[in-house]
Amino acid sequence: MSYLYDPNGIDNVGEQKSNTIKGFKLYQNYPNPFNPSTTISFEISHPSNISLKIYNVLGKEINRLIDNREYTTGSYKIIWDGTENNGNKSASGIYFYRLFTNKIVLTKSMILLK
């Protein structure tokens, strides 16, 4: 299960440093390593369709936190509780999260410790 802090479509995340690609930022999750949940933050500079997916080290998609949803300009954060799409808890290990827009893909890694 994931929770999106999106009271008015925008949630301030804070002033963190990150790479910017055409106005999009994907921040390192926190805490990292994590157990049982972690927060993933991102910013977009213009309205876009967004997908945010979690992958295991084999490249298999295990959770789709955001599925091609329209977002307005702003800062967002979402909490991942370590579950997979099928409701099972993920095992300890390294995972990757990817932010997709129509034109870019940004990827970061995270560690789940149990």
Side-chain angles (χ1 to χ4, degrees), residues 48-63:
S48 300
N49 283 346
I50 300 289
S51 293
L52 182 63
K53 301 176 184 179
I54 308 292
Y55 297 88
N56 65 18
V57 293
L58 299 176
K60 178 183 175 192
E61 179 186 311
I62 62 162
N63 199 315

Side-chain angles (χ1 to χ4, degrees), residues 76-91:
Y76 300 89
K77 61 184 174 179
I78 188 166
I79 295 175
W80 181 49
D81 66 0
T83 57
E84 299 181 5
N85 281 334
N86 61 14
N88 293 336
K89 289 285 187 181
S90 299

Side-chain angles (χ1 to χ4, degrees), residues 19-90:
N19 291 334
T20 302
I21 298 180
K22 297 182 183 176
F24 294 88
K25 295 180 184 179
L26 179 62
Y27 295 102
Q28 187 62 52
N29 66 298
Y30 62 90
N32 190 32
F34 70 96
N35 181 13
S37 64
T38 190
T39 301
I40 299 170
S41 304
F42 62 94
E43 292 181 20
I44 58 174
S45 62
H46 52 82
S48 300
N49 283 346
I50 300 289
S51 293
L52 182 63
K53 301 176 184 179
I54 308 292
Y55 297 88
N56 65 18
V57 293
L58 299 176
K60 178 183 175 192
E61 179 186 311
I62 62 162
N63 199 315
R64 194 173 292 198
L65 300 177
I66 301 170
D67 190 13
N68 197 33
R69 183 174 159 205
E70 178 76 23
Y71 277 80
T72 59
T73 301
S75 299
Y76 300 89
K77 61 184 174 179
I78 188 166
I79 295 175
W80 181 49
D81 66 0
T83 57
E84 299 181 5
N85 281 334
N86 61 14
N88 293 336
K89 289 285 187 181
S90 299

Side-chain angles (χ1 to χ4, degrees), residues 55-58 62 91-96 108-112:
Y55 297 88
N56 65 18
V57 293
L58 299 176
I62 62 162
S92 293
I94 298 172
Y95 293 88
F96 300 93
K108 297 225 180 245
S109 63
M110 59 185 161
I111 300 171
L112 171 59

